Amino acid sequence: MGKTSDQLQGTLELLVLRTLASAGEQLHGFGIAERIKQVSAEALRVEEGSLYPALHRMNEEGWVLSEWGTSDNNRRARFYKITTKGRRRLTQLERDWARHVAAVKRVIRHA
Amino acid sequence: MSALSRFLNLFRSGDLEKEFDEELAFHLAQRVTANVRSGMSEQEAEVAALEQFGSVAQIKQEMWEARMMNVRFAAPLGVGIVAILCWLALVGVWRSPTPDLPERPTPIYAVKRRVPPPPPPPPPTWDEFVAKVRSYE
């Protein structure tokens, strides 16, 4: 996997983990996608096809936990919540992101 | 997810397949509802939801790969468990427990005394030999 692809995957992980950490409750995949869209004022739209493989990957990594429950409209859905390991990963991803943004800003200012 | 769970996942592929289907179906149903709320007809909403979602088969394949990403750790664990069980069976450590029997004196047949082989019979005398051999008659 190339660097760009890694960064994109990292960005999706960052968005999902931050959304779950801030939500303070467990969310299903659709809820995660909708919340990212709302909070970013529709500037960011998670590619729904990429979301579920990413969630399952994060589940394997132990960053999120999943369990089946009932949604608001009374349907069975899989809900995700962030783990302690996931919070540590989130801290790391946010630090990497801040460093990346700072580097791009420096280039914009001085190049 | 523990290594054991990963290993057990290898044996519940049917359940996982069903779970993937159910999870994706829920998402699509939610998206259709949201599309209808935004003013689309039911049919338009379904088409738009599927277009937005992409290939369900491809997504499921990627979900499988995500689930199996750590099988490289789980498979050696399984092989290791089987190898240890085989070894235990071979050395006889894992056998059924023997009942507690009262202590008995060692049976006679358990003690083998080295008995020298009997001496070979003495060679026959000439008369005995002639008496046995009838070809001269």
Side-chain angles (χ1 to χ4, degrees):
Chain A
M1 194 177 280
K3 185 83 176 165
T4 312
S5 189
D6 279 346
Q7 281 170 349
L8 288 175
Q9 188 174 304
T11 308
L12 180 57
E13 286 168 1
L14 170 62
L15 293 173
V16 169
L17 290 175
R18 172 41 64 201
T19 303
L20 287 173
S22 301
E25 58 176 342
Q26 48 185 17
L27 295 171
H28 46 65
F30 183 80
I32 294 168
E34 285 298 281
R35 197 166 286 219
I36 291 171
K37 198 168 91 176
Q38 284 164 8
V39 172
S40 69
E42 306 211 1
L44 298 174
R45 191 171 190 163
V46 173
E47 203 181 307
E48 294 176 1
S50 309
L51 177 62
Y52 288 93
L55 280 169
H56 283 260
R57 204 163 40 240
M58 286 189 265
N59 195 55
E60 286 293 312
E61 295 284 3
W63 301 336
V64 298
L65 268 182
S66 68
E67 61 181 359
W68 287 92
T70 311
S71 69
D72 293 341
N73 55 1
N74 240 9
R75 283 194 60 159
R76 217 169 93 85
R78 191 200 285 272
F79 288 85
Y80 295 88
K81 66 179 173 190
I82 191 166
T83 61
T84 309
K85 197 177 171 188
R87 286 183 192 278
R88 280 201 297 271
R89 174 69 178 156
L90 174 61
T91 307
Q92 186 195 336
L93 285 170
E94 284 180 337
R95 200 181 302 134
D96 291 349
W97 180 255
R99 203 176 296 140
H100 180 77
V101 170
V104 173
K105 273 185 182 170
R106 274 199 300 276
V107 172
I108 291 171
R109 266 203 308 268
H110 302 296
Chain B
M1 181 175 280
S2 71
L4 183 62
S5 306
R6 285 174 201 139
F7 182 62
L8 293 177
N9 273 348
L10 295 173
F11 302 101
R12 50 185 293 263
S13 58
D15 292 347
L16 280 180
E17 182 82 15
K18 221 171 84 180
E19 285 182 14
F20 293 165
D21 284 339
E22 200 169 356
E23 186 170 25
L24 298 182
F26 173 80
H27 184 103
L28 283 169
Q30 294 291 107
R31 177 58 64 209
V32 168
T33 308
N35 288 348
V36 169
R37 272 203 208 111
S38 69
M40 289 185 193
S41 71
E42 187 85 22
Q43 199 179 355
E44 284 171 341
E46 282 174 11
V47 171
L50 280 170
E51 273 177 7
Q52 196 172 334
F53 206 65
S55 162
V56 173
Q58 171 73 26
I59 294 165
K60 273 170 64 180
Q61 176 63 32
E62 287 176 23
M63 287 164 87
W64 262 113
E65 284 166 14
R67 278 294 180 136
M68 295 298 140
M69 63 186 262
N70 286 321
V71 162
R72 63 181 183 274
F73 300 117
L77 173 75
V79 171
I81 289 171
V82 171
I84 289 169
L85 291 178
C86 288
W87 179 76
L88 287 174
L90 277 174
V91 298
V93 171
W94 213 26
R95 61 187 170 200
S96 57
T98 48
D100 288 335
L101 296 173
E103 213 167 301
R104 292 183 305 174
T106 309
I108 288 295
Y109 59 77
V111 181
K112 276 192 177 176
R113 216 153 49 84
R114 189 172 170 78
V115 179
T125 60
W126 177 252
D127 293 337
E128 285 169 344
F129 176 72
V130 169
K132 277 185 185 174
V133 178
R134 305 268 178 207
S135 57
Y136 298 111
E137 291 176 358

